[in-house]
Amino acid sequence: MGEGRTAIRLAAMASWLAFPVYAWQGIGVRLRVERLLPARGEPGGRLPGQGAEIRLLVVGDSSAAGVGLDHLEDGLAAQVARHLNDRTGRPVTYRTAGFNSAISTELRDHVVPHIEPRDWTHVLVSVGTNDIKNFRSGRGWKTGFGGLLYALRARFPHADLYWSNIMVMTQVPALPPLLGRILERRARLINMIGNTLCAERGATAISRMSEMDPQGFCSDGFHPSASGMAMWSGHIADHMRISAS
């Protein structure tokens, strides 16, 4: 435990030393990158099948909101639901509660309390990228994400809870190489803390994908495209437990 805390402190210190470069290059990226809108369509749906129903809730940021996609049918919740439906043949009901630019504390305070407390079997959290992008401190992330896990566990006590680790930031086309390396340091810090919190609070941390094809991003070079979302959702579905009944 002590070694883990030391590693987290060292990672945080190293990334903060690079803050001036982050601020300089980050402003340029914000001015240059195209601003995309959330996807249109219904936030939920149902896929038919045989056997016990799988009920999937996705809570998160712009990835959950389908920013850059034409329709929510190509979004994270719908695509994970399709993978689960294809692999099990069972009916899958899904719902997404995603919002552009959301960070962990906003999901904890403003989203989770307003989601209907129904009997979801699987709850997937997609959050952390904006905490990285906003250069939020490790302590702030720990408080926000840790509280979010508590809130989800309290509201949906019988669901399997999952969180997907942040993607490799050096593979994001919109980021200049140096900025990508700086944000990758932050991503490793966020993932390190997030994995520890998941282990402590009854959630499963899903490993990051090792590689994302450049074609897997939208025109802004930052958000996953429909094909990138399909790749990511398949990776997530691979790590989800499906009970026999």
Side-chain angles (χ1 to χ4, degrees):
M1 183 67 73
E3 291 180 358
R5 288 176 180 158
T6 299
I8 288 173
R9 283 197 295 268
L10 290 174
M13 290 174 58
S15 63
W16 276 107
L17 289 173
F19 180 79
V21 178
Y22 156 81
W24 166 54
Q25 292 205 341
I27 291 172
V29 171
R30 287 175 185 269
L31 293 174
R32 184 179 70 252
V33 167
E34 179 184 5
R35 296 280 293 179
L36 301 178
L37 298 176
R40 300 183 301 274
E42 293 298 321
R46 188 177 190 274
L47 305 174
Q50 299 293 323
E53 183 179 59
I54 299 169
R55 296 176 294 277
L56 170 69
L57 171 67
V58 175
V59 179
D61 50 22
S62 55
S63 293
V67 169
L69 303 177
D70 291 331
H71 200 281
L72 276 171
E73 288 183 356
D74 293 323
L76 184 60
Q79 296 226 42
V80 172
R82 279 197 291 274
H83 281 290
L84 295 176
N85 179 254
D86 289 342
R87 295 173 192 195
T88 67
R90 289 162 57 176
V92 182
T93 293
Y94 65 91
R95 154 105 153 85
T96 188
F99 299 91
N100 195 11
S101 300
I103 61 173
S104 53
T105 49
E106 292 169 337
L107 295 177
R108 180 196 67 195
D109 296 342
H110 305 301
V111 177
V112 174
H114 300 285
I115 300 174
E116 61 277 15
R118 61 165 299 177
D119 54 343
W120 304 104
T121 60
H122 297 71
V123 175
L124 170 65
V125 186
S126 168
V127 69
T129 301
N130 293 314
D131 293 82
I132 292 169
K133 182 168 60 71
N134 297 347
F135 229 77
R136 199 165 180 217
S137 70
R139 179 173 296 180
W141 163 249
K142 181 178 180 180
T143 299
F145 182 62
L148 174 60
L149 291 179
Y150 275 149
L152 288 167
R153 175 57 64 213
R155 195 161 184 81
F156 311 112
H158 303 298
D160 286 341
L161 183 56
Y162 299 87
W163 172 67
S164 181
N165 273 228
I166 307 304
M167 73 175 80
V168 181
M169 301 304 289
T170 53
Q171 296 176 3
V172 178
L175 301 178
L178 180 55
L179 182 58
R181 290 195 295 273
I182 293 171
L183 291 182
E184 173 60 14
R185 284 188 175 183
R186 299 295 298 179
R188 291 177 181 176
L189 173 64
I190 292 295
N191 285 341
M192 193 184 312
I193 296 172
N195 291 337
T196 299
L197 289 170
C198 284
E200 293 175 350
R201 304 187 183 187
T204 298
I206 298 175
S207 62
R208 60 185 356 188
M209 290 195 304
S210 59
E211 187 172 354
M212 173 76 92
D213 190 293
Q215 300 304 314
F217 292 88
C218 291
S219 58
D220 66 350
F222 191 83
H223 293 95
S225 65
S227 63
M229 199 70 81
M231 184 185 308
W232 184 28
S233 62
H235 175 76
I236 289 171
D238 285 340
H239 291 79
M240 287 187 159
R241 296 181 297 274
I242 305 298
S243 63
S245 61

